[in-house]
Amino acid sequence: MIVLGIETSCDETAVSICSNGNILSNIVGSQIIHSKFGGVVPEIASREHERLISSLTKEAITTARIEINDIEGIAVTNGPGLAGALLTGVSFAKGLAAGLNINIVSINHLEAHIIANLLDRGDITFPFLCLLVSGGHTQLWLINQIEDYELLGETRDDAAGEAFDKGARILGLGYPGGPEIEKCSEYGNSSLINFPRALIKSKKIEFSFSGLKTSLLYFMDSFEENKELKINDVAASYQKAIIDCLISKISLAVEITGVKTIAIAGGVAKNKQLRYAIDKTLRDCEIILPDLKYCTDNAAMISYLGEIKFNLGRCSEFDFSIIPNFSSDQI
Ligand code: KG4
Ligand code: ZN
């Protein structure tokens, strides 16, 4: 089956074609315009999606070397995300599906991030644990099967990606903060500052990053770069604190569930130190690290999951709505 996937939940306008589990095209238009504001401006994001969606769809079709009439189904993200941004993609997808007289299926963005682990990895065995770490979410899931997911725990406040983004802003680095902190950390010593690792000792699967961010803020109030301490050391120590919290809860999830296959998903899953730490710490587990291009927002994960959904007989009525605040038990 040939499925067109559309993703517009935040600041990436993305379109992809999947056919029989193979990604034929994966086009991502990143809206760099937001970097000058230090974060995503929702109104601008919607307008940019509107400006880009049509041409990126044409590009996805051409790159896949198919004709528009070859498309047999459309999958589109309907949440969670920014309302206006989601509306742009969903309205476009509905119009196209109606025009082509084909089925449409709505896709949960978080489920797609998790299932992105199966892209290029058809051999993955269930059950597996999945750490979902993005700009809006930090959750640990037990994936029993497709459509059978159990939320083991999540953050009480900020998401890990948010901690990177807010931390980068405090450090005077650019947006998005994750890649900026990662780059700055490369020349730093991560053991020089002992930032707090909230809840690390608790035997519950839960995270908290807002105290860490506040602690960085206070630290920077009196920070002056000198021979002994550079901004790179601060970035590296801050990044290490986030990673330690994530790793400790994956270990706890392994201990609690006995499941020893571990996957990661979401933008923060791109972080090289996190990937390295998972590999190094959880030596007796099978680790699945998705390709970097499938970690941050993309439509390959939408078209791929869409095809799975169609094959399971799922199909949405044309009047389905956007759900900006999907609750976790709605996946
Ligand atoms: O999954 P994603 O593209 O969008 C959401 O669904 O939120 O994730 C974006 C988040 C941002 O907070 C960004 O700073 C973070 O992923 N991120 C990273 C890295 N690349 C992106 N965080 C740490 N290290 C990275 N290399
Ligand atoms: Zn995402």
Side-chain angles (χ1 to χ4, degrees):
M1 169 171 203
I2 298 184
V3 176
L4 174 88
I6 293 176
E7 157 63 42
T8 64
S9 64
C10 192
D11 59 341
E12 247 82 45
T13 315
V15 189
S16 162
I17 306 272
C18 179
S19 172
N20 300 327
N22 299 310
I23 301 301
L24 304 186
S25 61
N26 178 27
I27 311 293
V28 183
S30 296
Q31 303 179 1
I32 44 172
I33 186 168
H34 301 282
S35 57
K36 69 176 173 203
F37 301 103
V40 179
V41 183
E43 172 70 18
I44 295 179
S46 311
R47 286 170 188 257
E48 283 294 286
H49 288 311
E50 169 68 19
R51 187 175 70 79
L52 295 165
I53 188 90
S54 194
S55 61
L56 295 187
T57 301
K58 281 187 195 139
E59 192 181 336
I61 292 170
T62 317
T63 308
R65 295 174 187 273
I66 62 163
E67 300 294 328
I68 191 165
N69 288 314
D70 296 331
I71 299 168
E72 296 168 280
I74 296 184
V76 60
T77 306
N78 74 324
L82 301 169
L86 289 165
L87 267 178
T88 319
V90 167
S91 306
F92 180 84
K94 285 182 179 178
L96 192 56
L100 294 172
N101 195 22
I102 54 176
N103 287 331
I104 187 165
V105 66
S106 62
I107 298 289
N108 181 311
H109 181 80
L110 303 182
E111 183 181 5
H113 267 306
I114 293 168
I115 297 304
N117 278 285
L118 272 63
L119 276 160
D120 302 335
R121 284 293 307 252
D123 60 332
I124 194 167
T125 50
F126 294 92
F128 65 89
L129 295 168
C130 184
L131 175 74
L132 172 57
V133 267
S134 68
H137 295 84
T138 295
Q139 303 175 322
L140 247 164
W141 287 91
L142 173 60
I143 311 300
N144 291 313
Q145 253 313 330
I146 303 258
E147 296 195 338
D148 180 0
Y149 316 121
E150 207 179 308
L151 182 64
L152 300 175
E154 61 187 329
T155 182
R156 285 186 184 182
D157 40 57
D158 291 352
E162 208 175 343
F164 273 106
D165 294 334
K166 289 178 176 169
R169 194 183 295 192
I170 295 169
L171 293 170
L173 304 171
Y175 178 87
E180 295 287 325
I181 289 189
E182 177 167 27
K183 214 180 328 145
C184 188
S185 300
E186 278 172 26
Y187 307 98
N189 181 340
S190 64
S191 53
L192 290 187
I193 307 146
N194 190 21
F195 284 117
R197 282 123 166 100
L199 304 173
I200 202 163
K201 295 222 167 76
S202 105
K203 283 287 170 194
K204 271 175 83 181
I205 298 175
E206 54 182 347
F207 307 87
S208 168
F209 294 107
S210 70
L212 171 64
K213 169 199 66 194
T214 310
S215 153
L216 176 68
L217 193 64
Y218 287 144
F219 182 86
M220 290 308 287
D221 271 350
S222 55
F223 173 73
E224 273 176 41
E225 200 161 65
N226 57 44
K227 257 200 210 139
E228 278 75 44
L229 204 56
K230 305 254 171 301
I231 192 81
N232 310 76
D233 303 319
V234 185
S237 302
Y238 184 78
Q239 172 176 267
K240 179 79 168 48
I242 297 175
I243 293 174
D244 283 353
C245 295
L246 298 175
I247 298 286
S248 77
K249 298 302 173 176
I250 303 178
S251 301
L252 180 62
V254 172
E255 194 183 310
I256 292 172
T257 62
V259 173
K260 291 194 159 192
T261 305
I262 297 157
I264 51 174
V268 181
K270 256 186 155 171
N271 188 281
K272 286 197 251 4
Q273 288 305 319
L274 172 64
R275 295 167 88 98
Y276 172 74
I278 291 177
D279 248 350
K280 199 181 77 176
T281 318
L282 298 142
R283 283 187 185 282
D284 59 339
C285 295
E286 189 192 356
I287 314 292
I288 291 131
L289 300 174
D291 193 297
L292 296 184
K293 64 177 177 294
Y294 298 142
C295 292
T296 33
D297 288 350
N298 65 86
M301 64 186 192
I302 307 300
S303 60
Y304 182 80
L305 180 58
E307 190 182 10
I308 292 175
K309 296 275 180 191
F310 281 126
N311 287 334
L312 288 171
R314 309 280 176 261
C315 184
S316 305
E317 295 297 330
F318 263 84
D319 60 355
F320 73 86
S321 38
I322 56 157
I323 310 179
N325 299 310
F326 250 120
S327 73
S328 294
D329 53 12
Q330 281 175 294
I331 292 192

